[in-house]
Amino acid sequence: MSYSDLQQQPIAMFDMDGTLLDLAFDDFIWNQCLPERHAQVHQYSLEQSQKTLFQFYQQHKHTLSWYSSAYWTEKVGVDVIQLQYDHRDKIKARIGCHELLKQLNAQGYRCWLLTNADRAGLELKLENVELSPYFELMVSSEELGHAKEEVAFWQKLQLLHPFDPAQAVFIDDTVAVLKGAEDFGIHQLFSILQPSSNKMPRSKTELAYPALDHLTELFDYLETNQQVTDAKTA
């Protein structure tokens, strides 16, 4: 296949945590385990640690530091990666994850994994859930120096791995990330109704983008979009 032919193939871009993987693991680590360990290490009450950490979280939300294990380890004095390794048995794929990826591969989609998780976090997840075989490209925002919320992430991604935004579909559970992708020029955007199995599904009306309940629902959208495209070009 020539380079130009490759450029014409549609690309399905996926977030990892909360999209392909159940966000319940991350919620458990950051909202329960880390406050407990932080309280033990610093001899705080659990309430004190929760208050301190949640203030830190709000200060750094949607920045590259928010997603950095090394940053948080230094900031709070707890080995955050080790904490995740200790509970890695809780890392799970969301329902329909592997089914969707297999079908996309079979239909000729190029699949890219684009995560804000740092490289250490990405490798931890890949050791516990088989995702690698489905993806031709796996990128951590740490490598690009920008979080996915920033247009600069997408600009640098395109510079390093040229792609046509019109040929791309992107699925992410975070609205701010989808907005960054939209500002860059990707318009086939989808969110996730229930990123964490431990939380109630969000309402479709509160999300600014079409939202998937089960991941395999994506095929209905793609089929409809293809029919519209065929009708326009007929």
Side-chain angles (χ1 to χ4, degrees):
M1 183 178 292
S2 70
Y3 179 74
S4 59
D5 288 338
L6 191 65
Q7 289 289 92
Q8 292 303 309
Q9 275 188 277
I11 301 176
M13 300 174 170
F14 288 94
D15 169 50
M16 183 172 65
D17 300 313
T19 299
L20 295 177
L21 303 185
D22 191 341
L23 197 63
F25 171 77
D26 300 271
D27 288 343
F28 173 71
I29 293 296
W30 295 97
N31 298 331
Q32 183 175 330
C33 290
L34 185 55
E36 290 173 355
R37 186 68 60 85
H38 184 268
Q40 292 168 359
V41 168
H42 299 288
Q43 297 185 323
Y44 290 169
S45 70
L46 180 59
E47 291 73 20
Q48 283 177 308
S49 284
Q50 287 173 332
K51 183 177 181 181
T52 299
L53 291 173
F54 294 165
Q55 284 177 343
F56 289 160
Y57 294 167
Q58 291 305 311
Q59 289 169 9
H60 297 287
K61 198 170 186 179
H62 300 309
T63 70
L64 207 56
S65 294
W66 166 268
Y67 304 104
S68 170
S69 304
Y71 174 83
W72 287 112
T73 294
E74 182 179 350
K75 178 84 172 174
V76 305
V78 175
D79 188 334
V80 174
I81 280 292
Q82 185 59 51
L83 195 63
Q84 294 178 69
Y85 268 98
D86 291 345
H87 298 281
R88 60 188 180 276
D89 60 303
K90 294 182 181 295
I91 299 171
K92 308 291 183 186
R94 293 187 66 249
I95 294 172
C97 169
H98 293 100
E99 181 184 350
L100 173 62
L101 294 173
K102 285 176 184 175
Q103 290 191 43
L104 286 172
N105 285 172
Q107 292 183 13
Y109 277 83
R110 304 167 65 194
C111 291
W112 291 8
L113 182 69
L114 309 175
T115 178
N116 270 330
D118 61 8
R119 198 72 210 181
L122 172 58
E123 289 173 0
L124 168 67
K125 302 293 175 61
L126 295 180
E127 286 173 12
N128 290 276
V129 178
E130 190 176 41
L131 293 177
S132 301
Y134 303 105
F135 290 96
E136 70 166 37
L137 181 67
M138 308 182 91
V139 174
S140 162
S141 59
E142 180 181 52
E143 300 163 40
L144 301 189
H146 299 279
K148 289 185 297 181
E149 288 86 336
E150 303 174 46
V151 172
F153 170 92
W154 300 97
Q155 293 170 334
K156 193 159 185 181
L157 177 69
Q158 189 182 46
L159 186 66
L160 295 172
H161 307 282
F163 69 93
D164 179 1
Q167 293 289 326
V169 177
F170 178 51
I171 304 93
D172 197 294
D173 65 303
T174 302
V175 171
V177 170
L178 292 167
K179 181 66 168 60
E182 184 176 27
D183 289 344
F184 168 72
I186 297 174
H187 296 295
Q188 292 188 79
L189 300 166
F190 300 92
S191 191
I192 299 292
L193 272 186
Q194 191 178 16
S196 169
S197 61
N198 285 343
K199 293 183 178 178
M200 292 294 292
R202 299 179 288 187
S203 168
K204 288 191 176 186
T205 57
E206 70 182 85
L207 297 169
Y209 301 92
L212 309 174
D213 186 6
H214 295 288
L215 283 168
T216 50
E217 291 175 1
L218 180 64
F219 287 116
D220 295 332
Y221 285 102
L222 295 178
E223 187 176 326
T224 300
N225 182 66
Q226 186 59 50
Q227 289 173 352
V228 170
T229 301
D230 292 345
K232 286 180 178 177
T233 57

